[in-house]
Amino acid sequence: MGKEPIKSHEEMEVYQMAFDVAMQIFELSKNFPVEERYSLTDQIRRSSRSVCANLAEAWRKRRYEAAFVAKLNDCEAEAAETQTWLKFGVKCNYLDVEKARDIYATYNRILAILVTIINNPSPWILKR
């Protein structure tokens, strides 16, 4: 008895993790100073949300391995960018160090899953 096949990007564990952590970032960034609205606040929200958006696009591009992997590479880049913004948030004293570490660790798990899929995309590719 095997697992049911995934029917939507929203069923992917990596998508769910990315969505949940993006929402955590959104809530935490509400406390950033007003002067950061168009810089750090906007950047960290944008990059964290972009992981999810690119996963949705990758899911729909599964007919073409190169396009699928390219979108996953975009996810990977956005996740790493978000980690950088987290570091800025800590250094600027906008984020609690422990909370930021937890979020950073979640992105490490997201990145590990993405790299695993990128390195072996064939189980995800739609058969013609």
Side-chain angles (χ1 to χ4, degrees), residues 10-95:
E10 292 178 347
E11 295 176 27
M12 296 175 73
E13 175 189 13
V14 67
Y15 177 88
Q16 292 168 4
M17 288 171 58
F19 190 90
D20 290 344
V21 76
M23 290 307 300
Q24 286 179 43
I25 286 172
F26 173 73
E27 290 301 323
L28 289 170
S29 66
K30 286 180 179 180
N31 297 319
F32 288 3
V34 175
E35 63 266 18
E36 290 287 1
R37 179 175 293 137
Y38 301 109
S39 51
L40 182 59
T41 305
D42 181 57
Q43 291 290 348
I44 197 167
R45 287 177 179 178
R46 184 199 54 74
S47 64
S48 66
R49 290 170 177 170
S50 188
V51 177
C52 301
N54 281 303
L55 272 167
E57 286 188 58
W59 181 261
R60 289 297 175 186
K61 292 185 176 193
R62 290 173 299 134
R63 285 178 185 82
Y64 309 100
E65 184 174 322
F68 177 65
V69 170
K71 283 319 262 182
L72 293 177
N73 282 318
D74 291 344
C75 293
E76 184 182 0
E78 295 292 343
E81 179 182 337
T82 303
Q83 288 181 314
T84 300
W85 295 126
L86 285 167
K87 285 183 171 187
F88 276 107
V90 169
K91 288 291 186 184
C92 294
N93 295 314
Y94 304 151
L95 288 173

